[in-house]
């Protein structure tokens, strides 16, 4: 059976390291500060923001959550971001996506000072990543690099295939793997013979948002498979397809009325891969840990302590 890459253990390790760095900053100057802006009532966003604030509390980062009214205009939100850009004690600014439809999200993200861009999504930081210059990196892909490194999975010289080309995950993932000297292929919805391309991968990263699409047929025996997908399934026929050989998971589905699954078939990957990240408990926990790391690094830079 394949090795399970335990994202929770690695997250805990990283948070312990963060605690020490935060304590040093607090002793030398002040604790790092993160401000999260949450607009609207998307339930998933509320959960994500709650977890981010909780992680800050756990390690001593000073956090604040701003919740402007759901009908705020783009101009008003940009003005709020500009106030935070100018605030000395705010190191990181995060605008939780998605924003309500009346707001021009790109304009808001562009308004965040690249220096305080904890999510690493500002075009200037995308450029820093593309050219391998220092700057905050998008949290999910940088968390995946941490999983690979801390589990001693070699990257240099390996064939890596990333399925998905979003600005948030796929593209930065491919660039980070490239900077670690992998030979990288990016796939998307127009890729011809996706299973064949995926089967070339020593490291396969699935970031599509398509429940259990990556089956055994896509996986080179012994490959490392990283599952970024976070899909809540509630249709029993989908659950039956995925969990035909895992009756305990099907029972769990029936009990809860739904389940979280990745983009990779959870039963087939365990039989064919060399190592893989489970869903939940794989990539997800790293995303918040890397947000903490980014906040601390920005604070260290702004306070001249690195
Ligand atoms: P996204 O913006 O919707 O991008 C999805 C990408 O997958 C697109 O590039 C799309 O191709 C490609 N794609 C879709 N269907 C495909 C198919 N059948 N074959 C090949 N490629 C296909 O999604 P995202 O923001 O990158 O997120 C991807 C997944 O990761 C989602 O499930 C999301 O919930 C999850 N996620 C998890 C975390 C975490 O912390 N665990 C963080 C972020 C995202 P085109 O470009 O051609 O349309």
């Amino acid at each position: 059976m394949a090795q399970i890459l335990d994202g929770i253990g690695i997250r805990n390790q990283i948070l312990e390291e963060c605690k020490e760095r935060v304590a040093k900053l607090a002793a030398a100057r002040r604790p790092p500060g993160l401000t999260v802006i949450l607009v609207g009532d998307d339930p998933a966003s509320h959960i994500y923001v709650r977890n981010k604030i909780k992680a800050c509390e756990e390690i001593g980062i000073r956090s604040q959550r701003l919740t402007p009214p759901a009908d705020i205009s783009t101009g008003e939100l940009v003005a709020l971001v500009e106030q935070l850009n100018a605030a000395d004690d705010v190191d990181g600014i995060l605008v939780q996506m998605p924003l309500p439809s009346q707001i021009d999200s790109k304009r808001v993200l562009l308004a965040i000072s690249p220096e305080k861009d904890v999510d690493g999504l500002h075009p200037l930081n995308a450029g820093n990543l593309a050219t391998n210059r220092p700057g905050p990196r998008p949290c999910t892909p940088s968390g995946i690099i941490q999983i690979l490194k801390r589990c001693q999975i070699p990257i240099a010289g390996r064939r890596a295939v990333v399925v998905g080309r979003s600005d948030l995950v796929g593209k930065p993932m491919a660039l980070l793997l490239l900077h670690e000297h992998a030979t990288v292929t990016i796939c998307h919805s127009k890729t011809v013979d996706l299973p064949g391309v995926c089967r070339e991968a020593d490291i396969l990263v699935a970031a599509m948002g398509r429940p259990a699409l990556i089956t055994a047929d896509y996986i080179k025996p012994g490959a490392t498979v990283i599952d970024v997908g976070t899909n809540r399934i509630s249709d029993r026929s989908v659950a039956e397809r995925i969990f035909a050989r895992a009756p305990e998971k099907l029972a769990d589905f029936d009990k809860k009325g739904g389940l979280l699954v990745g983009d990779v078939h959870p039963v087939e990957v365990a039989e064919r891969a060399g190592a893989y990240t489970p869903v939940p408990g794989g990539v997800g926990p790293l995303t918040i840990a890397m947000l903490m790391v980014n906040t601390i690094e920005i604070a260290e830079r702004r306070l001249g302590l690195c």
Side-chain angles (χ1 to χ4, degrees), residues 40-78:
D41 48 16
D42 178 51
S45 293
H46 277 260
I47 295 171
Y48 295 147
V49 169
R50 194 187 317 134
N51 291 339
K52 288 169 186 174
I53 300 284
K54 204 172 129 217
C56 287
E57 284 165 1
E58 261 174 55
I59 64 167
I61 289 180
R62 203 171 20 76
S63 64
Q64 63 170 340
R65 191 183 71 132
L66 302 180
T67 52
D71 62 353
I72 191 170
S73 68
T74 303
E76 288 166 331
L77 195 52
V78 165

Side-chain angles (χ1 to χ4, degrees), residues 1 11 32-33 35 46 52 66 69 75-76 79 82 87 95 106 115 121 133 165 187 209 216 218 248 268 272 277 295:
M1 280 299 257
R11 186 244 347 243
T35 296
H46 277 260
K52 288 169 186 174
L66 302 180
E76 288 166 331
E82 280 167 355
V95 179
K106 286 200 170 150
E115 245 215 325
L121 296 177
R133 289 184 169 88
R165 56 175 163 181
C187 299
Y218 291 64
E248 72 291 349
E268 297 183 14
R272 196 163 170 99
T277 57
T295 306

